[in-house]
């Protein structure tokens, strides 16, 4: 299954966002959608949510040529790049804000990169900590999360038999603890 986006999560220290291009992520996974409406949605990350960043990469899958109304909502900030161009930018770095654009897109795969940063800034609602990539489907008026069917992992991950981990029974523990790994193309224990 190639649906979803490749997600890299970074715990930020004093260096901040400038280090992301050269930094090693603290966690990677496949996210089925980019819809994290509050800090609770990020609660499975293995570090504090005060200062962190995420980068999602892959493709936006467009089923038919037409106009697509895309939304990016973030607290603190972030941007959406499509076909190598920034199409949605929320750089206020203060509170939750949604930005949108109507784009005419051809049928097929469009390279997608979404960047998000959360920074503790002493604003009363800093804990919202949200990152939402949404769209307005034809005939509707309100944005909803871009569905998994419209997201595809980067091409370098494509393989008919590569294992894909979709979840773990727990993300923290002690050496020797048992965990359950859920996913696809995992070899069964004999």
């Amino acid at each position: 299954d190639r649906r979803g986006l490749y997600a890299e999560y970074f715990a930020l220290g004093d260096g901040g966002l400038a280090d992301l291009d050269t930094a090693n992520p603290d966690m990677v996974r496949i996210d089925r959608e980019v819809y994290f409406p509050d800090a609770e949605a990020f609660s499975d990350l293995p570090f504090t949510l005060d200062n962190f960043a995420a980068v999602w990469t892959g493709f936006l899958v467009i089923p038919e040529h037409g106009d697509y109304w895309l939304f990016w909502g973030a607290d603190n900030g972030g941007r959406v790049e499509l076909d190598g161009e920034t199409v949605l930018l929320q750089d206020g770095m203060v509170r939750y804000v949604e930005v949108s654009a109507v784009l005419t897109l051809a049928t097929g795969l469009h390279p997608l990169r979404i960047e998000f940063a959360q920074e503790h800034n002493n604003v009363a609602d800093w804990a919202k900590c949200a990152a939402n990539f949404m769209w307005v489907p034809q005939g509707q008026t309100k944005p909803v999360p871009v569905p998994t069917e419209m997201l595809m992992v980067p091409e370098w991950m494509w393989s008919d038999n590569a294992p894909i981990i979709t979840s773990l029974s727990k993300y923290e523990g002690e050496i020797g603890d048992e965990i359950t790994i859920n996913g696809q193309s995992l070899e069964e224990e004999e």
Side-chain angles (χ1 to χ4, degrees), residues 5-46:
L5 295 175
Y6 180 67
E8 299 174 281
Y9 291 91
F10 304 84
L12 299 179
D14 295 333
L17 293 176
D19 299 332
L20 277 188
D21 290 332
T22 58
N24 290 320
D26 293 288
M27 182 175 150
V28 297
R29 66 183 182 194
I30 305 298
D31 284 337
R32 305 293 276 170
E33 60 186 12
V34 179
Y35 188 72
F36 300 90
D38 52 33
E40 173 93 17
F42 285 113
S43 64
D44 62 340
L45 296 181

Side-chain angles (χ1 to χ4, degrees), residues 12-177:
L12 299 179
D14 295 333
L17 293 176
D19 299 332
L20 277 188
D21 290 332
T22 58
N24 290 320
D26 293 288
M27 182 175 150
V28 297
R29 66 183 182 194
I30 305 298
D31 284 337
R32 305 293 276 170
E33 60 186 12
V34 179
Y35 188 72
F36 300 90
D38 52 33
E40 173 93 17
F42 285 113
S43 64
D44 62 340
L45 296 181
F47 45 76
T48 177
L49 300 182
D50 284 351
N51 295 296
F52 78 97
V55 176
W56 293 274
T57 54
F59 294 96
L60 180 63
V61 180
I62 298 300
E64 63 181 64
H65 178 85
D67 290 339
Y68 288 81
W69 189 6
L70 301 178
F71 276 75
W72 171 244
D75 176 6
N76 290 137
R79 68 182 178 154
V80 175
E81 289 181 7
L82 195 59
D83 296 321
E85 305 235 354
T86 298
V87 295
L88 298 169
L89 176 65
Q90 197 294 70
D91 63 352
M93 295 300 287
V94 177
R95 295 176 186 225
Y96 184 80
V97 174
E98 289 179 356
V99 294
S100 70
V102 176
L103 304 173
T104 302
L105 299 171
T107 302
L109 303 179
H110 295 265
L112 176 65
R113 178 181 172 96
I114 301 172
E115 299 173 351
F116 167 71
Q118 168 64 34
E119 180 180 40
H120 182 74
N121 59 17
N122 294 319
V123 174
D125 67 348
W126 75 269
K128 183 160 179 70
C129 184
N132 301 316
F133 182 47
M134 302 173 290
W135 76 310
V136 178
Q138 189 74 9
Q140 296 186 23
T141 59
K142 294 184 178 183
V144 296
V146 172
T148 300
E149 295 76 26
M150 290 179 65
L151 301 173
M152 187 178 290
V153 297
E155 194 168 0
W156 63 265
M157 297 184 78
W158 298 1
S159 172
D160 290 335
N161 59 2
I164 298 174
I165 296 174
T166 56
S167 66
L168 301 173
S169 60
K170 62 182 181 177
Y171 293 93
E172 293 182 15
E174 301 295 324
I175 294 174
D177 286 356

